[in-house]
Amino acid sequence: MSEPFDLLVIGGGPGGYVAALRARQLGLRTALIEASTLGGICLNWGCIPTKSLLKSSDLFRTLRKLHAFGIEHDGAFSVDFPALIARSRGISTTLAKGIQQLLAKNHVEVIKGWGRFSGKTKEGWHEISVSSEGDSSQKKPSSETRLAKKVILATGARPRTLFPPELGVWSSREAMTPQSQPTSLLIIGAGVIGLEFASFYRALGTEVSVVEMASMLLPHEDQEIAAALQKELEGQGIRFFFNHTVSQLTKEASGAFQAQLQHKTTLQHSSWEGQQVLVAIGVMGNIENLGLEQTRVRTEKGYILTHGFGQTDDPTIYAIGDVAGPPWLAHKASYEGVLCVEALAGHSPLPLDVSSIPGCIYTYPQVASVGLTQREAEKNHAIKVGKFSFSANGQALALGEPHGFVKTIFDQTTGELLGAHMIGPGVSELIQGMVIAKTLQATEEDLKRVIFPHPTLSEVLGEAILDADGIALHKISKKT
């Protein structure tokens, strides 16, 4: 048995590998156990490859409207679908290799395999068995056993399923690596993942329909933003079935899918027939086969219960990222990893402010938000709301992207920034300005003093801030 570690991290995704790097910075002897490719779902099967795909579809969308920019071309543009997929896979491979090099240079030992608790020694060290091949659920003999004083579980999550594998329904993983582009696609779930794939495939010409149990898409976003996105997506030809479930799904001998869609209230049925079906109804934590029964760690509804800085009911075992529950965001997992390590190393980090975690959706147009929605803010605050449209922004018009707006929400009495919500070009980058403001507890009066460069998309933020007080300069003002 090798020398014990101060910290063992199980899972090499954006939470796990960042936690391991921070632990080494703080002088802890650290190892990371990962059965698959470093970077986790985010880098290999989520955030990164999907953004590559969406960039390709955005370029294709732009090429189709070159005439609007005064550019004529002789021939039609086409999509090399295998090359498009290969580019996305190449980016993930490059980044995964970078993480491997980063861990090596920081002297984090990477152990390939499946890690699970196998017991505790008399000295109080956690005993972790590592199976180097096969699935640990098969309980094959472990190739090695490692000891650690403390353990961080960062095993992530996986897509929820509805249908048996033999039916050939896609999860998000299959949706980003198909051999060919489907002519028609039914997406079950109008959340972030479902809508990003809807946006990608529709831009390339696939006929896309989306089924959603709720009465609207993105139920956790600001209602006004969600309604604006729905209008934009419908304008692109995406068809929505709200308040519907898939009551029956079959696959014909030809390979085509037949779906029966049922309205939750009226119970009326609609039919859909097409080439492919994608299930995007959320994720579930990877809590199986970790040997948690050997510990005091508790789980609930498929996630590990934590408190404080990721601490479980076992004071020397921690959990971070998706396996510890929502929000399921890579940047939240990374930040949790840093806080968790600093706390277990004896430092005193500030608690995570969940209300300051930004969310980004890479549809066309993009959506980004931080803080309370208007409906949430109205429950406990007297509020002021400001809005400004990209259609009145010079840079947006120059880019040919005039759709969308920015919305700011302030406490009427204190001037506290309660929330900011955006739909439009580049808002996944613009949101960080409002995240910084909220983190630094900037007030409305503070933000009014910010000078925004011209001409930029960021000027829309400045006008939306002013508009909350009725003094926006480039719209008909509430105050004259």
Side-chain angles (χ1 to χ4, degrees):
M1 188 178 294
S2 64
E3 184 180 348
F5 292 98
D6 298 317
L7 176 66
L8 252 177
V9 182
I10 302 179
Y17 85 77
V18 168
L21 289 171
R22 183 62 180 135
R24 285 298 301 135
Q25 288 179 342
L26 296 177
L28 302 180
R29 186 167 187 270
T30 305
L32 186 150
I33 301 174
E34 172 56 59
S36 186
T37 309
L38 290 169
I41 292 296
C42 172
L43 191 152
N44 296 286
W45 300 105
C47 318
I48 301 302
T50 56
K51 302 312 161 285
S52 169
L53 298 177
L54 286 162
K55 176 60 178 179
S56 295
S57 67
D58 282 347
L59 282 173
F60 190 61
R61 185 186 292 109
T62 300
L63 290 172
R64 294 205 310 268
K65 58 180 183 181
L66 281 180
H67 64 278
F69 293 87
I71 300 173
E72 299 299 332
H73 59 91
D74 296 329
F77 296 101
S78 60
V79 176
D80 183 342
F81 201 73
L84 181 151
I85 298 297
R87 177 179 183 270
S88 74
R89 302 315 309 156
I91 291 171
S92 291
T93 299
T94 297
L95 290 174
K97 289 179 179 177
I99 292 173
Q100 185 175 15
Q101 294 170 0
L102 195 60
L103 292 168
K105 287 189 176 295
N106 282 274
H107 306 290
V108 176
E109 182 177 344
V110 177
I111 304 168
K112 186 76 170 177
W114 286 264
R116 69 189 311 272
F117 292 96
S118 57
K120 237 179 185 179
T121 66
K122 294 180 181 179
E123 294 81 11
W125 297 83
H126 289 288
E127 187 178 87
I128 306 295
S129 64
V130 182
S131 175
S132 59
E133 58 181 270
D135 188 335
S136 62
S137 64
Q138 299 171 11
K139 299 182 180 179
K140 290 185 176 182
S142 172
S143 60
E144 56 184 320
T145 299
R146 299 299 181 102
L147 296 179
K149 199 72 175 178
K150 295 179 180 178
V151 176
I152 293 178
L153 299 172
T155 51
R158 63 187 183 277
R160 292 186 180 275
T161 59
L162 285 176
F163 306 103
E166 57 268 21
L167 197 57
V169 172
W170 282 353
S171 69
S172 56
R173 179 172 295 207
E174 290 80 25
M176 69 182 70
T177 56
Q179 295 182 351
S180 60
Q181 177 187 343
T183 57
S184 53
L185 177 65
L186 178 68
I187 299 176
I188 304 174
V192 175
I193 295 172
L195 293 181
E196 287 188 354
F197 277 114
S199 196
F200 165 69
Y201 277 104
R202 183 65 197 127
L204 299 182
T206 299
E207 294 295 327
V208 177
S209 300
V210 181
V211 182
E212 171 57 50
M213 288 182 62
S215 59
M216 60 181 288
L217 51 76
L218 301 176
H220 299 297
E221 291 292 326
D222 185 88
Q223 281 192 317
E224 195 172 6
I225 296 289
L229 180 61
Q230 180 182 331
K231 183 178 179 180
E232 291 287 342
L233 295 179
E234 287 176 335
Q236 295 165 27
I238 297 173
R239 185 182 182 189
F240 288 94
F241 294 89
F242 292 109
N243 295 304
H244 275 76
T245 59
V246 177
S247 58
Q248 185 178 3
L249 182 68
T250 57
K251 194 172 186 179
E252 305 297 315
S254 63
F257 284 91
Q258 295 274 358
Q260 291 296 316
L261 316 179
Q262 185 177 48
H263 193 281
K264 289 198 307 178
T265 305
T266 66
L267 303 183
Q268 291 182 336
H269 284 84
S270 301
S271 297
W272 178 89
E273 180 178 356
Q275 187 177 352
Q276 190 55 250
V277 176
L278 163 64
V279 173
I281 56 170
V283 297
M284 56 194 299
N286 293 321
I287 62 173
E288 300 85 3
N289 308 310
L290 293 174
L292 296 183
E293 67 277 3
Q294 305 282 347
T295 73
R296 287 153 51 193
V297 174
R298 291 189 302 125
T299 63
E300 184 175 278
K301 297 180 179 179
Y303 299 99
I304 294 174
L305 295 176
T306 63
H307 58 89
F309 294 98
Q311 198 171 51
T312 68
D313 284 4
D314 189 314
T316 55
I317 300 175
Y318 300 76
I320 60 172
D322 289 357
V323 75
W328 302 288
L329 299 167
H331 46 280
K332 173 252 193 183
S334 296
Y335 196 78
E336 280 184 329
V338 171
L339 295 183
C340 178
V341 167
E342 291 178 350
L344 66 83
H347 294 252
S348 301
L350 294 174
L352 172 64
D353 178 6
V354 177
S355 72
S356 292
I357 300 175
C360 299
I361 305 169
Y362 296 84
T363 46
Y364 181 80
Q366 293 182 356
V367 170
S369 62
V370 66
L372 302 177
T373 65
Q374 182 172 343
R375 175 175 286 186
E376 290 168 341
E378 287 172 337
K379 292 178 181 178
N380 299 303
H381 301 265
I383 64 171
K384 293 193 292 185
V385 176
K387 287 190 290 184
F388 196 82
S389 173
F390 283 101
S391 64
N393 175 264
Q395 180 72 331
L397 293 173
L399 293 172
E401 301 286 351
H403 304 292
F405 60 92
V406 170
K407 180 177 186 177
T408 57
I409 305 169
F410 295 95
D411 185 282
Q412 204 171 86
T413 304
T414 65
E416 177 189 358
L417 175 63
L418 300 173
H421 306 272
M422 311 175 185
I423 177 171
V427 296
S428 62
E429 300 292 341
L430 293 178
I431 192 63
Q432 191 58 23
M434 305 308 286
V435 175
I436 292 171
K438 193 171 184 309
T439 301
L440 296 179
Q441 299 181 339
T443 66
E444 180 188 12
E445 290 302 315
D446 295 324
L447 295 175
K448 285 179 184 177
R449 299 173 59 211
V450 174
I451 300 173
F452 292 88
H454 175 78
T456 65
L457 297 172
S458 68
E459 292 175 278
V460 178
L461 276 64
E463 293 281 5
I465 291 164
L466 294 175
D467 190 57
D469 207 31
I471 56 173
L473 295 169
H474 290 87
K475 68 183 287 188
I476 298 176
S477 179
K478 301 172 187 176
K479 292 184 179 181
T480 56

